[in-house]
Amino acid sequence: MTTPDIDHDFLASARRTLLLEQNALRDLCERLDAPFTHACQHMLECRGRVVVIGVGKSGHIGRKTAATLASTGTPSFFVHAGEASHGDLGMLVRDDLVLALSNSGETAELTALLPLFKRMGITMIAMTGNASSSLARHADVHLDVSVAQEACPLNLAPTSSTTAALALGDALAIALLEARRFSPEDFALSHPGGTLGKRLLLRVEDLMHTGDELPVIRQDARLSEALVEMTRKGHGFTCITDDAGHLVGIYTDGDLRRTIDRHGDVRQLGVQEVMTPGGRTIEAQTLAAEAVRVMEDHRITALVVVDDLHRPIGLLKMHDLLGSGIV
């Protein structure tokens, strides 16, 4: 191995690589035609799974493509072409569709599987850089991802070609996403652990404090009783209800400071005299992300959760939202 050139112009090299890959994507975009539409139609009509198969660098691209398809509404998984011949082909069923990736289109591990795909009656879409290859000729649909030049100066290391294949895989996934009218809520169902999933799946009822944790007193109670309830429940405020259990107001730590400032001796006061009428409320089925917006808009740190009759059934605090990862 030769001695590395530590004075090499790394920026010039990077710009050359990116420009070559950009050109490859531009050419691919201009070359798209009817086969892409046919591929999308086959994948949309597939009653099974889209099984992405590849090996080597194409295999790495295939794994990412399968993951993107699966997360955007198209059931999909990846099978390594080499392992397919040693038992993993048993993962396929007749209703599946195969998306085979190979730049040369002559990868031995893939071409060996062609007779089996035909015997099973499985539709195959090939993504190759050689339209006259065995894989392309035997495919039901061929997607041409050929490139004029690899970014590698030796024109050997898969670079522009893998970029083109990766981008076309994304294009397939997004075209199918749009055709399925895939919604943010659908996306959240396959990403429950992500921030978007939490924002779209978590509701107030999933985070609120209920039962004995909920501080509540009647409107005819003394202020001293309200303070005991606030202290016992430890949430910094209490709900105040009428005889029918409807929320009529709240009393907070901030209200207590204002009460002392105005009245001095608070021992004989009734809570109804000093409470904040009404109070900000929210319903249990509301998205937790909406609760964040309400709290931020009104500069408050807690909301009373009420039912259809405006009776308090829970308490949601900003601390709960922070802990859930919504904020």
Side-chain angles (χ1 to χ4, degrees), residues 181-238:
R181 298 178 181 176
F182 196 74
S183 68
E185 288 76 16
D186 295 325
F187 188 88
L189 290 174
S190 58
H191 297 76
T195 300
L196 177 60
K198 290 178 181 178
R199 290 182 66 86
L200 292 172
L201 292 177
L202 273 180
R203 300 188 181 274
V204 169
E205 63 183 348
D206 299 319
L207 301 172
M208 67 183 188
H209 300 272
T210 60
D212 193 51
E213 292 185 74
L214 180 63
V216 180
I217 62 166
R218 295 270 295 275
Q219 63 183 351
D220 58 358
R222 309 299 296 175
L223 178 56
S224 58
E225 296 177 67
L227 299 181
V228 170
E229 179 73 351
M230 291 166 61
T231 302
R232 188 166 70 89
K233 300 299 175 62
H235 293 301
F237 88 104
T238 184

Side-chain angles (χ1 to χ4, degrees), residues 70-137:
S71 70
T72 53
T74 300
S76 179
F77 63 90
F78 175 78
V79 173
H80 188 279
E83 298 297 334
S85 295
H86 297 278
D88 282 5
L89 201 62
M91 297 179 184
L92 277 69
V93 297
R94 289 186 181 277
D95 287 337
D96 289 342
L97 176 149
V98 166
L99 175 60
L101 278 66
S102 168
N103 187 44
S104 69
E106 297 293 348
T107 304
E109 293 92 337
L110 276 170
T111 57
L113 301 174
L114 294 176
L116 298 172
F117 296 154
K118 294 296 183 182
R119 186 182 305 170
M120 295 177 69
I122 291 178
T123 298
M124 185 183 76
I125 299 170
M127 189 186 296
T128 82
N130 183 358
S132 61
S133 64
S134 299
L135 208 59
R137 287 185 287 105

Side-chain angles (χ1 to χ4, degrees), residues 254-272:
D255 290 326
L256 175 59
R257 288 191 292 272
R258 286 185 287 273
T259 301
I260 294 174
D261 183 56
R262 294 171 186 170
H263 298 274
D265 187 356
V266 301
R267 288 175 294 179
Q268 302 304 316
L269 289 175
V271 72
Q272 193 171 12

